[in-house]
Short mmCIF file of all heavy atoms in Angstrom, two decimals:
data_model
loop_
_atom_site.label_atom_id
_atom_site.label_comp_id
_atom_site.label_asym_id
_atom_site.label_seq_id
_atom_site.Cartn_x
_atom_site.Cartn_y
_atom_site.Cartn_z
N MET G 1 1.80 -27.52 -5.77
CA MET G 1 1.94 -26.76 -7.01
C MET G 1 1.03 -25.52 -7.02
O MET G 1 1.47 -24.41 -7.27
CB MET G 1 1.64 -27.64 -8.24
CG MET G 1 1.57 -26.89 -9.55
SD MET G 1 3.14 -26.23 -10.11
CE MET G 1 3.91 -27.73 -10.70
N SER G 2 -0.26 -25.73 -6.71
CA SER G 2 -1.20 -24.61 -6.79
C SER G 2 -0.84 -23.51 -5.78
O SER G 2 -0.95 -22.32 -6.10
CB SER G 2 -2.63 -25.08 -6.55
OG SER G 2 -2.77 -25.66 -5.28
N GLN G 3 -0.39 -23.89 -4.56
CA GLN G 3 -0.08 -22.87 -3.57
C GLN G 3 1.13 -22.06 -3.98
O GLN G 3 1.17 -20.84 -3.76
CB GLN G 3 0.16 -23.51 -2.19
CG GLN G 3 0.27 -22.50 -1.07
CD GLN G 3 -0.94 -21.60 -0.96
OE1 GLN G 3 -2.07 -22.07 -0.90
NE2 GLN G 3 -0.74 -20.28 -0.96
N SER G 4 2.11 -22.69 -4.60
CA SER G 4 3.29 -21.97 -5.07
C SER G 4 2.90 -20.96 -6.13
O SER G 4 3.39 -19.81 -6.11
CB SER G 4 4.29 -22.97 -5.66
OG SER G 4 5.36 -22.29 -6.29
N ILE G 5 1.98 -21.31 -7.02
CA ILE G 5 1.53 -20.39 -8.05
C ILE G 5 0.71 -19.27 -7.45
O ILE G 5 0.85 -18.08 -7.80
CB ILE G 5 0.77 -21.15 -9.16
CG1 ILE G 5 1.77 -21.95 -9.97
CG2 ILE G 5 -0.03 -20.19 -10.04
CD1 ILE G 5 1.17 -22.76 -11.10
N ILE G 6 -0.15 -19.60 -6.49
CA ILE G 6 -0.93 -18.57 -5.80
C ILE G 6 -0.01 -17.58 -5.11
O ILE G 6 -0.22 -16.36 -5.17
CB ILE G 6 -1.90 -19.22 -4.77
CG1 ILE G 6 -3.03 -19.93 -5.50
CG2 ILE G 6 -2.47 -18.15 -3.83
CD1 ILE G 6 -3.91 -20.76 -4.60
N ASP G 7 1.04 -18.08 -4.45
CA ASP G 7 1.98 -17.19 -3.76
C ASP G 7 2.70 -16.25 -4.75
O ASP G 7 2.90 -15.07 -4.44
CB ASP G 7 3.01 -18.03 -3.00
CG ASP G 7 2.40 -18.75 -1.81
OD1 ASP G 7 1.30 -18.39 -1.38
OD2 ASP G 7 3.05 -19.71 -1.32
N THR G 8 3.07 -16.78 -5.91
CA THR G 8 3.73 -15.95 -6.90
C THR G 8 2.78 -14.88 -7.45
O THR G 8 3.16 -13.72 -7.60
CB THR G 8 4.28 -16.80 -8.06
OG1 THR G 8 5.22 -17.75 -7.55
CG2 THR G 8 4.97 -15.94 -9.11
N ILE G 9 1.56 -15.28 -7.73
CA ILE G 9 0.56 -14.32 -8.22
C ILE G 9 0.31 -13.23 -7.19
O ILE G 9 0.19 -12.05 -7.53
CB ILE G 9 -0.75 -15.04 -8.60
CG1 ILE G 9 -0.50 -15.97 -9.80
CG2 ILE G 9 -1.83 -14.01 -8.93
CD1 ILE G 9 -1.71 -16.83 -10.17
N LYS G 10 0.26 -13.62 -5.95
CA LYS G 10 0.03 -12.63 -4.87
C LYS G 10 1.18 -11.63 -4.81
O LYS G 10 0.98 -10.44 -4.58
CB LYS G 10 -0.15 -13.32 -3.55
CG LYS G 10 -0.58 -12.38 -2.43
CD LYS G 10 -0.95 -13.15 -1.16
CE LYS G 10 -1.51 -12.20 -0.09
NZ LYS G 10 -1.92 -12.93 1.12
N GLN G 11 2.38 -12.10 -5.04
CA GLN G 11 3.54 -11.22 -5.00
C GLN G 11 3.62 -10.32 -6.23
O GLN G 11 4.10 -9.19 -6.15
CB GLN G 11 4.83 -12.07 -4.88
CG GLN G 11 6.08 -11.23 -4.68
CD GLN G 11 7.29 -12.10 -4.47
OE1 GLN G 11 7.23 -13.33 -4.47
NE2 GLN G 11 8.46 -11.47 -4.29
N TYR G 12 3.15 -10.83 -7.37
CA TYR G 12 3.17 -10.12 -8.63
C TYR G 12 1.76 -10.06 -9.21
O TYR G 12 1.43 -10.79 -10.18
CB TYR G 12 4.14 -10.76 -9.62
CG TYR G 12 5.55 -10.86 -9.12
CD1 TYR G 12 6.02 -12.02 -8.53
CD2 TYR G 12 6.41 -9.76 -9.17
CE1 TYR G 12 7.33 -12.12 -8.06
CE2 TYR G 12 7.70 -9.84 -8.69
CZ TYR G 12 8.16 -11.01 -8.14
OH TYR G 12 9.44 -11.09 -7.66
N PRO G 13 0.89 -9.20 -8.65
CA PRO G 13 -0.55 -9.31 -8.91
C PRO G 13 -1.09 -8.58 -10.14
O PRO G 13 -2.30 -8.49 -10.31
CB PRO G 13 -1.15 -8.71 -7.63
CG PRO G 13 -0.16 -7.63 -7.24
CD PRO G 13 1.17 -8.19 -7.60
N ILE G 14 -0.19 -8.07 -10.97
CA ILE G 14 -0.63 -7.49 -12.23
C ILE G 14 -0.27 -8.47 -13.36
O ILE G 14 0.92 -8.78 -13.56
CB ILE G 14 0.03 -6.13 -12.49
CG1 ILE G 14 -0.37 -5.12 -11.40
CG2 ILE G 14 -0.33 -5.60 -13.87
CD1 ILE G 14 -1.85 -4.81 -11.36
N ILE G 15 -1.30 -8.95 -14.06
CA ILE G 15 -1.09 -10.00 -15.06
C ILE G 15 -1.45 -9.48 -16.47
O ILE G 15 -2.61 -9.16 -16.73
CB ILE G 15 -1.97 -11.22 -14.74
CG1 ILE G 15 -1.69 -11.74 -13.33
CG2 ILE G 15 -1.74 -12.32 -15.79
CD1 ILE G 15 -2.58 -12.89 -12.91
N PRO G 16 -0.47 -9.36 -17.35
CA PRO G 16 -0.77 -9.00 -18.74
C PRO G 16 -1.56 -10.14 -19.41
O PRO G 16 -1.25 -11.33 -19.20
CB PRO G 16 0.59 -8.85 -19.38
CG PRO G 16 1.57 -8.70 -18.25
CD PRO G 16 1.00 -9.51 -17.13
N ILE G 17 -2.54 -9.75 -20.21
CA ILE G 17 -3.31 -10.71 -21.00
C ILE G 17 -3.13 -10.30 -22.45
O ILE G 17 -3.58 -9.23 -22.86
CB ILE G 17 -4.80 -10.70 -20.60
CG1 ILE G 17 -4.96 -11.05 -19.12
CG2 ILE G 17 -5.60 -11.64 -21.47
CD1 ILE G 17 -6.37 -10.89 -18.59
N PHE G 18 -2.47 -11.17 -23.23
CA PHE G 18 -2.00 -10.71 -24.54
C PHE G 18 -2.04 -11.82 -25.58
O PHE G 18 -1.79 -12.99 -25.28
CB PHE G 18 -0.56 -10.18 -24.42
CG PHE G 18 -0.01 -9.64 -25.72
CD1 PHE G 18 -0.37 -8.37 -26.15
CD2 PHE G 18 0.82 -10.40 -26.49
CE1 PHE G 18 0.11 -7.87 -27.35
CE2 PHE G 18 1.31 -9.92 -27.70
CZ PHE G 18 0.96 -8.64 -28.13
N TYR G 19 -2.32 -11.42 -26.82
CA TYR G 19 -2.15 -12.29 -27.98
C TYR G 19 -1.82 -11.47 -29.21
O TYR G 19 -2.36 -10.36 -29.41
CB TYR G 19 -3.41 -13.13 -28.29
CG TYR G 19 -3.22 -13.93 -29.56
CD1 TYR G 19 -2.49 -15.11 -29.52
CD2 TYR G 19 -3.67 -13.46 -30.79
CE1 TYR G 19 -2.23 -15.82 -30.69
CE2 TYR G 19 -3.43 -14.16 -31.96
CZ TYR G 19 -2.71 -15.34 -31.91
OH TYR G 19 -2.43 -16.04 -33.05
N ASP G 20 -0.99 -12.03 -30.03
CA ASP G 20 -0.76 -11.48 -31.39
C ASP G 20 -0.35 -12.65 -32.28
O ASP G 20 0.31 -13.60 -31.84
CB ASP G 20 0.34 -10.42 -31.35
CG ASP G 20 0.32 -9.55 -32.61
OD1 ASP G 20 0.89 -9.96 -33.65
OD2 ASP G 20 -0.26 -8.45 -32.57
#
Side-chain angles (χ1 to χ4, degrees):
M1 171 68 77
S2 61
Q3 189 56 52
S4 173
I5 288 180
I6 289 171
D7 290 344
T8 299
I9 294 174
K10 188 171 186 177
Q11 186 176 0
Y12 301 98
I14 298 298
I15 304 175
I17 300 173
F18 182 79
Y19 175 79
D20 197 277

